[in-house]
């Protein structure tokens, strides 16, 4: 191939990928770099930015409101992630069978995943509003004490975790279902021949095959939990008494209510660092565990 033809083919290739490359640069890399530079400045969106070095990061470490938001986020993560993984696994095992109308069941389970956050927020308010919510009406009919739900600082985050679980469990179910269908049936049949019951076959044969999927699902759901914003925004707006104010909602408040864009950018990069550290740590631990098991 002549050099001229190579150049023409190279330019043709770049002509095809250039639009997508520009979109990636414009919508991801450039904003990320700009946000980092902004985190080193004090800017309210109107005046001239003032360089402050690492002052925003120092303020972030000592901010009690941010610490409270981190605590609320950790609580939500502890409630949501294990429940979503276990529920998704259980539903996947139940649907990985030859049962009547299995396609309908799979569709019904996946349907909440495609519902918008705004619709989920409206449904949450309809169900758990202390005055006219459906749940309290049912409790009233049954003669049971009514609850504060979204207006109770002790219960609001639990309600949000439940509704998030309703909307996100379908994702883990689909992932686990696909993984279960890739496991050779001969492995389970061999375990049954050796005298293992259903639970033993699942725990010692099926579940170890799902370890990589479990790691992926755990990391993904943890990242989603750390980034919780939309359901809080459409239901409690961080209340009552700040009990549902998560890190991302606190970030949004700092940027678009308090107009502290530099500080909000520093919080965003702190959140990014934590997310990256969790992903790398879990991945390394999983690989070491896999290597150790093979050894």
């Amino acid at each position: 191939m002549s050099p001229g033809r190579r150049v023409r083919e190279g330019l043709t290739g770049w002509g095809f990928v250039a639009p997508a490359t520009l979109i990636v640069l414009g919508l991801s890399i450039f904003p990320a770099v700009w946000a980092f530079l902004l985190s080193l400045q004090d800017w309210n969106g109107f005046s001239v930015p003032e360089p402050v070095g690492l002052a925003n990061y120092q303020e972030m470490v000592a901010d009690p409101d941010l610490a409270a938001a981190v605590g609320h986020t950790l609580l939500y993560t502890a409630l949501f992630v294990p429940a979503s993984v276990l529920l998704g696994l259980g539903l996947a095992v139940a649907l990985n069978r030859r049962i009547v109308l299995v396609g309908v069941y799979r569709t019904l389970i996946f349907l909440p995943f495609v519902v918008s956050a705004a619709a989920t927020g409206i449904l949450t308010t309809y169900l758990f509003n202390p005055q006219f919510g459906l749940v309290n009406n049912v409790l009233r009919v049954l003669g049971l004490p009514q609850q504060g739900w979204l207006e109770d600082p002790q219960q609001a985050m639990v309600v949000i975790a439940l509704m998030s679980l309703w909307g996100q469990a379908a994702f883990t179910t689909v992932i686990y279902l696909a993984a279960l269908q890739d496991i050779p049936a001969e492995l389970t049949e061999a375990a049954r021949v050796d005298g293992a019951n259903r639970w033993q076959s699942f725990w010692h044969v099926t579940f170890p095959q799902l370890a990589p999927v479990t790691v992926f699902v755990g990391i993904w759901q943890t990242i989603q939990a750390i980034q919780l914003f939309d359901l809080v925004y459409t239901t409690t707006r961080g209340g009552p008494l700040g009990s549902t104010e998560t890190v991302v909602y606190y970030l949004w408040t700092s940027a678009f209510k308090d107009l502290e864009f530099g500080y909000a950018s520093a919080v965003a990069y702190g959140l990014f660092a934590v997310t990256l550290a969790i992903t790398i740590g879990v991945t390394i631990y999983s690989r070491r565990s896999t290597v150790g098991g093979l050894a």
Side-chain angles (χ1 to χ4, degrees):
M1 181 183 297
S2 63
R5 184 176 179 181
R6 290 182 178 178
V7 172
R8 287 194 300 271
E9 290 185 353
L11 292 176
T12 301
W14 276 107
F16 282 110
V17 303
T21 303
L22 292 176
I23 292 175
V24 172
L25 292 175
L27 298 180
S28 60
I29 298 178
F30 172 74
V33 174
W34 183 66
F36 176 73
L37 296 177
L38 191 59
S39 70
L40 304 176
Q41 301 173 344
D42 181 16
W43 186 50
N44 61 8
F46 300 98
S47 62
V48 178
E50 179 183 350
V52 294
L54 299 177
N56 287 326
Y57 292 95
Q58 295 172 352
E59 179 183 354
M60 179 180 67
V61 174
D63 188 350
D65 294 331
L66 178 58
V70 170
H72 302 151
T73 304
L74 291 177
L75 173 61
Y76 171 79
T77 302
L79 293 172
F80 170 72
V81 175
S84 66
V85 173
L86 293 175
L87 180 61
L89 178 59
L91 290 174
V93 172
L95 294 175
N96 192 35
R97 301 177 181 178
R98 295 180 180 179
I99 56 179
V100 180
L101 300 177
V102 64
V104 176
Y105 299 146
R106 292 175 180 177
T107 302
L108 292 176
I109 290 175
F110 189 74
L111 188 61
F113 183 70
V114 299
V115 175
S116 67
T120 303
I122 294 173
L123 178 62
T124 303
T125 303
Y126 173 74
L127 291 175
F128 293 101
N129 186 280
Q131 284 74 39
F132 55 83
L134 179 61
V135 176
N136 268 354
N137 286 332
V138 173
L139 293 177
R140 186 183 303 112
V141 171
L142 296 176
L144 298 176
Q146 301 177 51
Q147 304 297 320
W149 301 126
L150 293 176
E151 294 183 4
D152 188 335
Q154 303 299 324
Q155 299 176 353
M157 186 59 80
V158 177
V159 172
I160 290 178
L162 287 174
M163 294 307 296
S164 297
L165 188 62
W166 173 78
Q168 295 294 324
F171 173 79
T172 56
T173 301
V174 170
I175 299 298
Y176 272 122
L177 185 59
L180 286 170
Q181 293 175 351
D182 285 339
I183 297 176
E186 292 80 5
L187 296 177
T188 305
E189 293 173 358
R192 293 290 181 85
V193 171
D194 290 338
N197 56 33
R198 287 188 176 182
W199 169 251
Q200 291 171 334
S201 298
F202 173 79
W203 184 252
H204 296 288
V205 177
T206 303
F207 188 71
Q209 302 293 322
L210 299 175
V213 176
T214 302
V215 172
F216 166 76
V217 169
I219 293 175
W220 181 266
Q221 295 296 75
T222 300
I223 293 175
Q224 296 301 309
I226 292 175
Q227 296 177 347
L228 174 67
F229 170 78
D230 46 9
L231 192 54
V232 172
Y233 182 81
T234 56
T235 53
T236 63
R237 297 295 179 95
L241 302 176
S243 60
T244 60
E245 186 176 49
T246 60
V247 173
V248 177
Y249 189 83
Y250 178 78
L251 187 158
W252 177 83
T253 302
S254 298
F256 298 104
K257 284 190 174 182
D258 301 335
L259 299 181
E260 297 178 354
F261 290 100
Y263 180 68
S265 298
V267 174
Y269 261 90
L271 181 63
F272 168 74
V274 171
T275 304
L276 183 63
I278 292 174
T279 303
I280 294 175
V282 173
T283 302
I284 292 175
Y285 174 78
S286 174
R287 290 181 178 179
R288 288 182 177 178
S289 299
T290 303
V291 172
L294 294 175

